[in-house]
């Protein structure tokens, strides 16, 4: 383990969209800023889970893919010279006597005047099939995460799931794959009403209420899936090129519970300043909770500047928490 002797104004733990925007905004306040991210890339769940999915609820975009959103956030951050530490998991945060924080990761030790936690839902793993031999197909054509749309071009794709992710991927792949079949264990989908209406008007074939019953394949390549009626004996075989399972993800907050901050189950309790119960530590985005909390990227983008501005005010009490408008600034190309 190495030690960084540099002292930062703000260290952001978590390099997803909210953490990236917080880093940009900290740059606007002229704060010396560092991001620590446990993944080998910036972008968090957006980069890992739905880089090709279109996101509609981000201000200023009629629609933007996850990949493009992260690209734009990266370009926005590059207005400033922040330090980015990837592939580092924060293990402990210790408040020192001189009101500084010692942040220890699996690789380094960092020092900071304030900390902003933007870890989202924590580390996560997909909920996988429990059918025999399912893991043998994961390296070929059984997928839990969609990373590259081109591989599904002109193919028959079967998707399992009833939430927003499953429905969104079915709609996204409709114009790319030769055929898309969406299978759900209930008659009704849990996705947003607008998405379900689009699904009903699409060419996506819907099979309900069925669940995977048996995987059929050889040489680690899945050829077909037998689906069984949820409350019946009917079994139907569906031949396919790719099988995508969207049963959601299991998240873990890991060492967060040992950071001496108040939690409400797995969420960090914050006040209106986005400050935790430990003075100098803030949280923004899906990692926090407060009365009336909404977990959206859009609201996280609003919480990030709140945390940054109050962090700056705590470091430099003569600085106003209310910043100047960005229209009064200029960036060189």
């Amino acid at each position: 383990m190495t030690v960084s002797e540099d002292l930062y104004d703000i260290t952001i733990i978590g390099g997803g969209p909210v953490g990236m925007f917080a880093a940009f905004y900290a740059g606007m306040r002229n704060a010396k800023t560092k991001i620590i991210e446990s993944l080998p890339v910036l972008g968090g769940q957006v980069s890992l889970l739905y880089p090709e999915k279109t996101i509609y609820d981000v201000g200023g975009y009629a629609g933007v893919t996850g990949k493009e959103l992260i690209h734009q956030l990266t370009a926005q951050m590059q207005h400033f010279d922040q330090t980015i530490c990837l592939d580092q998991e924060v293990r402990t945060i210790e408040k020192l006597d001189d009101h500084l924080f010692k942040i220890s990761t699996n690789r380094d030790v960092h020092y900071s005047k304030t900390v902003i936690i933007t870890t989202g839902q924590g580390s996560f793993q997909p909920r996988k099939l429990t059918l025999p031999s399912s893991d043998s197909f994961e390296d070929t054509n059984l997928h839990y995460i969609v990373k590259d749309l081109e591989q599904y071009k002109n193919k028959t794709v079967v998707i399992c799931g009833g939430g927003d992710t499953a429905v969104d991927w079915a709609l996204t792949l409709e114009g790319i794959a030769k055929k898309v079949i969406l299978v759900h264990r209930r008659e009704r989908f849990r996705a947003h009403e607008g998405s379900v209406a689009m699904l009903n008007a699409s060419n996506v074939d819907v099979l309900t209420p069925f669940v995977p019953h048996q995987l059929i394949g050889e040489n680690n390549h899945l050829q077909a899936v037998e689906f069984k009626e949820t409350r019946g004996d009917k079994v139907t075989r569906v031949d396919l090129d790719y099988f995508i399972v969207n049963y959601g993800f299991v998240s873990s907050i890991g060492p967060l519970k040992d950071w001496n901050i108040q939690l409400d189950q797995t969420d960090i309790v914050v006040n209106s300043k986005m400050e935790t119960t430990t003075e100098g530590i803030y949280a923004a985005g899906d990692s926090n909770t407060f009365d009336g909390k909404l977990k959206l990227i859009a609201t996280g983008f609003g919480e990030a500047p709140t945390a940054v501005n109050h962090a700056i005010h705590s470091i430099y009490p003569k600085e106003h928490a209310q910043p100047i408008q960005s229209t009064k600034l200029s960036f060189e190309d």
Side-chain angles (χ1 to χ4, degrees):
M1 178 177 289
T2 61
V3 178
S4 172
E5 298 295 345
D6 288 341
L7 177 61
Y8 284 78
D9 292 321
I10 298 175
T11 295
I12 298 165
I13 301 175
V18 174
M20 296 174 74
F21 187 65
F24 160 74
Y25 202 91
M28 290 183 61
R29 294 304 310 267
N30 201 31
K32 185 177 181 181
T33 308
K34 174 183 286 185
I35 292 181
I36 302 176
E37 166 58 46
S38 62
L39 295 174
V41 295
L42 290 174
Q45 294 188 25
V46 173
S47 288
L48 191 60
L49 303 186
Y50 44 94
E52 301 289 353
K53 176 183 171 183
T54 300
I55 302 169
Y56 295 101
D57 57 354
V58 176
Y61 290 100
V64 60
T65 65
K67 181 191 297 183
E68 178 60 19
L69 178 62
I70 299 307
H71 174 76
Q72 292 294 335
L73 285 165
T74 301
Q76 192 177 39
M77 286 174 55
Q78 288 172 347
H79 286 305
F80 307 103
D81 185 25
Q82 294 101 338
T83 299
I84 299 173
C85 302
L86 299 176
D87 207 16
Q88 292 195 38
E89 180 185 7
V90 174
R91 301 287 174 80
T92 61
I93 301 177
E94 180 184 356
K95 192 167 187 178
L96 305 178
D97 291 339
D98 49 1
H99 302 290
L100 301 180
F101 292 95
K102 177 182 177 182
I103 304 166
S104 300
T105 74
N106 57 318
R107 292 169 53 187
D108 296 319
V109 174
H110 311 265
Y111 292 92
S112 188
K113 297 176 184 177
T114 61
V115 176
I116 300 177
I117 301 170
T118 58
T119 51
Q121 298 296 317
S123 61
F124 52 94
Q125 294 293 330
R127 289 191 175 94
K128 297 187 176 183
L129 293 174
T130 56
L131 296 175
S133 302
S134 60
D135 57 348
S136 66
F137 301 113
E138 291 180 11
D139 291 332
T140 53
N141 58 337
L142 168 58
H143 298 166
Y144 296 100
I145 298 171
V146 175
K147 296 182 180 179
D148 180 15
L149 291 177
E150 284 301 309
Q151 66 184 320
Y152 306 110
K153 189 173 183 178
N154 299 323
K155 303 295 185 181
T156 298
V157 181
V158 176
I159 301 174
C160 251
D164 286 305
T165 301
V167 173
D168 288 347
W169 277 124
L171 293 171
T172 299
L173 290 171
E174 179 192 8
I176 297 171
K178 178 175 67 177
K179 186 175 185 179
V180 178
I181 303 167
L182 181 59
V183 184
H184 184 37
R185 62 192 178 95
R186 295 191 179 98
E187 293 284 357
R188 297 185 64 180
F189 290 90
R190 304 187 311 277
H192 284 98
E193 293 86 346
S195 298
V196 174
M198 293 172 63
L199 175 68
N200 292 334
S202 73
N203 292 320
V204 174
D205 291 343
V206 175
L207 179 63
T208 59
F210 282 83
V211 294
H213 178 63
Q214 183 178 353
L215 304 180
I216 302 168
E218 57 184 21
N219 298 324
N220 296 330
H221 189 85
L222 189 61
Q223 298 170 328
V225 177
E226 284 188 354
F227 292 95
K228 186 177 182 295
E229 223 173 1
T230 305
R231 291 190 176 88
D233 298 322
K234 184 178 179 179
V235 175
T236 183
R237 171 181 168 138
V238 180
D239 295 324
L240 51 78
D241 295 305
Y242 288 97
F243 188 31
I244 301 172
V245 177
N246 289 137
Y247 284 167
F249 292 81
V250 179
S251 62
S252 171
I253 62 173
L256 177 64
K257 61 183 180 295
D258 300 320
W259 292 355
N260 197 31
I261 52 180
Q262 183 182 346
L263 300 177
D264 181 356
Q265 297 183 10
T266 60
D267 295 330
I268 302 169
V269 176
V270 298
N271 58 23
S272 60
K273 298 178 182 179
M274 301 300 123
E275 189 173 35
T276 71
T277 49
T278 295
E279 184 180 0
I281 300 182
Y282 302 79
D286 286 356
S287 61
N288 77 14
T289 188
F290 52 86
D291 188 30
K293 169 72 178 184
L294 294 175
K295 293 195 174 186
L296 298 168
I297 291 179
T299 54
F301 283 164
E303 293 170 14
T306 300
V308 168
N309 287 320
H310 287 289
I312 292 294
H313 184 63
S314 73
I315 301 169
Y316 307 107
K318 293 183 179 180
E319 293 286 340
H320 295 293
Q322 176 63 49
I324 64 172
Q325 300 297 321
S326 64
T327 51
K328 297 181 180 179
L329 301 175
S330 64
F331 300 121
E332 295 181 359
D333 294 333

